[in-house]
């Protein structure tokens, strides 16, 4: 009987010791780690995408001695972007250029202030630009932001034409009669 009592006493002591160790590892608080990934984002597009090709032109004078005049402006397009900046680059810009210059014609674009459903550090538009084959900044200071998607979100773009204007780069002497001459306007979002 002594042997059973001793074995039983040792088993109870081991159980009590084990329970005491477990009780000592729990406390009034505990913690764990959450790992979060935020992707770097730099996206830009022109809306509405179904009808983003526009037409502009000139009206011929009806009186001898007068120049051709632009037939109007176009402000149907919207510049949308999404941006999550990197640690290394605090802001981004959107630049614009054309792939071909049409002789004697200045194509000008103005971006309006950001409007719509976006949020974050939206960019600031520059003054009206005369488009060239070299990138020019049209929106600067973009941080982590999104403009909202589609028409009436982002920056409204207004296009105008000048024929050989004294304020632009085109010369009236370079004008040639053409039907449907085209150029591609490219917008690029990039780090500063």
């Amino acid at each position: 009987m002594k042997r059973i009592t001793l074995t039983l006493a040792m088993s109870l002591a081991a159980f009590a010791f084990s329970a005491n160790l477990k009780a000592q590892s729990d406390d009034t608080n505990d913690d764990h780690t959450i790992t979060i990934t935020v992707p770097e984002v730099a996206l830009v597009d022109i809306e509405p995408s179904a009808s983003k090709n526009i037409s502009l032109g000139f009206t011929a004078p009806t009186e001898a001695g007068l120049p051709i005049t632009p037939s109007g402006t176009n402000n149907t397009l919207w510049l949308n972007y999404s941006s999550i900046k990197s640690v290394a680059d605090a802001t981004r810009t959107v630049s614009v250029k054309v792939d071909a210059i049409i002789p004697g014609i200045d194509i000008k674009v103005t971006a309006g202030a950001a409007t719509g459903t976006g949020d974050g550090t939206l960019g600031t538009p520059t003054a009206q630009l005369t488009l060239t084959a070299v990138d020019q900044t049209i929106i600067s200071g973009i941080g982590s932001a999104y403009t909202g998607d589609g028409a009436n979100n982002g920056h409204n773009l207004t296009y105008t034409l000048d024929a050989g204007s004294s304020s632009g780069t085109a010369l009236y002497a370079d004008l040639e009669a053409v039907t449907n001459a085209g150029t591609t306007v490219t917008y690029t979002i990039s780090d500063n």
Side-chain angles (χ1 to χ4, degrees), residues 175-189:
L175 283 169
E176 298 173 349
V178 294
T179 303
N180 299 325
T183 188
T184 300
V185 182
T186 302
Y187 290 86
T188 305
I189 188 168

Side-chain angles (χ1 to χ4, degrees), residues 35-41 83-87 92 144-145:
T35 302
I36 298 172
T37 302
V38 177
E40 186 174 348
V41 177
S83 170
I84 300 294
K85 62 186 177 80
S86 70
V87 174
R92 291 195 161 100
S144 291

Side-chain angles (χ1 to χ4, degrees), residues 93-97 135-139 186-190:
T93 60
V94 173
S95 60
V96 60
K97 68 178 180 178
D135 279 317
Q136 299 176 76
T137 299
I138 190 165
I139 308 289
T186 302
Y187 290 86
T188 305
I189 188 168
S190 58

